[in-house]
Amino acid sequence: MQALSRIMLTFLSEFSLIDRYSSQRRQPHHSAILGIGDDCALLAARPGHELAVSTDMLLEGCHFFADVPPVTLGHKALAVNLSDLAAMGAEPRAFTLALALPDTGTSRQDWLDAFSHGLFSLADRYSCELVGGDTTAGPLNICITVFGDVPCGQALRRDGAQPGDDIWVSGALGDARLALGALRNEWPLTIDQLPALRHALQMPEPRIALGIALRGIAHAALDLSDGLAGDLSHILRRSNVTAHVDVDALPRSAALREQPLSIQYRCAIEGGDDYELCFTAPSSQRDTLLALIPRIGISLTRIGTIDTLSDLDKGNTSVTNLYKAHWYDSSGSPIDTTWRSFDHFYEK
Ligand SMILES: [Mg+2]
């Protein structure tokens, strides 16, 4: 009982540390009617808006290496959640944090300080307020729930893709997987390539401005967390359509283009952790979308089209195969490969 009390007091003080760190930030966000300190936070509904809610968990050894700097871990833990708000066209508002920490003694305070710095630096940029949380002892595990606002009926959903739509992606694909492979000695990178690629893996930037700009333009959208092949199939399944994708059109960094084509495909099509947006939009929106690029400062690339399911597609008895995209090279020749999505359990 004494040991339990000691642990509870320790963790109470640790959450107080995060709370204190939060309250010292430069701007109070005033998102919650009642924030940390009661049994629940109270959030008022914004008139004319719906509340978007999403949860993501990061587990040591599964989603990140044990030696990853805590400042980048704090950033990424919130970034992957904000990315889900971006994918829905929602504006960040508040978040909760549940944290399991191993008992590593006095170094834990330094770890928490760096983690909090990464977390709240990103939260500040999006005026996203910490409104509650919990801590416990255990293997390092970070679970964040985010709350965002989206005008009624304007959320970007996965089930709205229509035959004839263009398929677009933001940014470049595959750099996070390229960095992960280099860190796991799957393939080499030059010493000057690694910092930028490691940044892509550890410090993803949620595409909030893009998601908001896509309201009323995109028919369907999601963020690429598990790789293009797997994530695009979610849109196809929810929208009951298929897709034709030009692999040569996939946006790739100069570093990735230096790799053999098989690695380029593996990283850009199967690799996870990109946190770019993939969305569909009618071809009549092409000029509008291209005009967005300088405004939001993120490249947008058209990579394929949405189509109705063919009789051949419908012949698939497996739902997984039914909603797989069809992949082609730029000459229109089909690429007969089965891409799989990035699986954190498989890819350990
Ligand atoms: Mg997502």
Side-chain angles (χ1 to χ4, degrees):
M1 188 65 189
Q2 252 186 345
L4 182 62
S5 299
R6 182 178 60 79
I7 289 169
M8 288 182 71
L9 282 171
T10 304
F11 283 123
L12 278 173
S13 67
E14 279 165 351
F15 202 83
S16 297
L17 173 72
I18 295 176
D19 185 16
R20 192 166 63 245
Y21 200 96
S22 172
S23 64
Q24 288 169 354
R25 306 304 292 172
R26 53 185 166 79
Q27 292 284 342
H29 303 308
H30 302 306
S31 173
I33 294 171
L34 187 63
I36 293 172
D38 213 308
D39 293 304
C40 291
L42 297 176
L43 302 175
R46 267 182 73 189
H49 287 69
E50 292 162 336
L51 194 63
V53 182
S54 180
T55 293
D56 249 309
M57 184 185 293
L58 293 180
L59 187 63
E60 182 182 294
C62 184
H63 299 97
F64 59 90
F65 293 113
D67 61 351
V68 69
V71 65
T72 64
L73 197 54
H75 172 97
K76 186 166 180 177
L78 183 59
V80 301
N81 281 275
L82 293 181
S83 179
D84 281 328
L85 292 183
M88 299 293 289
E91 188 174 349
R93 181 169 178 192
F95 70 104
T96 61
L97 166 68
L99 192 60
L101 277 172
D103 192 355
T104 53
T106 53
S107 64
R108 193 159 48 189
Q109 189 133 335
D110 293 339
W111 188 96
L112 267 172
D113 196 34
F115 175 84
S116 299
H117 180 69
L119 182 81
F120 289 112
S121 294
L122 181 63
D124 274 355
R125 280 203 279 127
Y126 291 104
S127 300
C128 194
E129 180 183 2
L130 178 69
V131 294
D134 193 17
T135 54
T136 188
L140 184 54
N141 185 351
I142 305 149
C143 185
I144 288 179
T145 299
V146 284
F147 306 87
D149 293 312
V150 61
C152 290
Q154 291 190 37
L156 309 174
R157 299 161 49 138
R158 298 179 176 184
D159 58 3
Q162 296 173 21
D165 277 1
D166 295 324
I167 304 169
W168 297 76
V169 292
S170 63
L173 305 183
D175 278 356
R177 182 66 183 88
L178 185 60
L180 181 66
L183 294 171
R184 296 197 306 200
N185 295 315
E186 291 177 80
W187 43 70
L189 289 174
T190 60
I191 201 89
D192 59 313
Q193 287 175 330
L194 196 53
L197 296 171
R198 194 195 292 259
H199 187 85
L201 175 65
Q202 296 180 341
M203 299 285 285
E205 186 63 32
R207 302 309 194 190
I208 298 293
L210 174 59
I212 291 171
L214 289 177
R215 293 174 189 160
I217 296 175
H219 281 157
L222 49 57
D223 65 321
L224 296 173
S225 55
D226 298 323
L228 178 64
D231 285 329
L232 178 57
S233 72
H234 296 316
I235 287 182
L236 304 185
R237 184 171 179 168
R238 294 294 300 272
S239 301
N240 196 33
V241 291
T242 191
H244 297 91
V245 181
D246 176 0
V247 295
D248 291 324
L250 299 180
R252 284 153 284 168
S253 67
L256 183 53
R257 285 179 182 277
E258 286 184 21
Q259 297 290 329
L261 211 49
S262 62
I263 294 178
Q264 291 189 40
Y265 289 162
R266 188 168 171 198
C267 292
I269 298 173
E270 296 185 317
D273 275 356
D274 284 323
Y275 300 103
E276 296 294 347
L277 297 190
C278 174
F279 59 94
T280 82
S283 56
S284 59
Q285 295 286 1
R286 284 179 190 173
D287 288 344
T288 305
L289 287 164
L290 293 174
L292 273 183
I293 296 173
R295 204 180 96 204
I296 57 176
I298 304 165
S299 65
L300 299 176
T301 307
R302 193 157 48 87
I303 62 166
T305 53
I306 296 292
D307 205 347
T308 51
L309 288 163
S310 69
D311 289 341
L312 204 60
D313 291 321
K314 291 174 186 169
N316 277 304
T317 51
S318 148
V319 170
T320 306
N321 288 333
L322 172 58
Y323 294 111
K324 275 182 177 164
H326 301 278
W327 305 83
Y328 298 85
D329 65 19
S330 57
S331 72
S333 301
I335 294 181
D336 190 18
T337 304
T338 300
W339 311 109
R340 60 187 174 85
S341 60
F342 186 79
D343 185 332
H344 287 104
F345 292 98
Y346 182 86
E347 295 263 356
K348 275 193 257 185

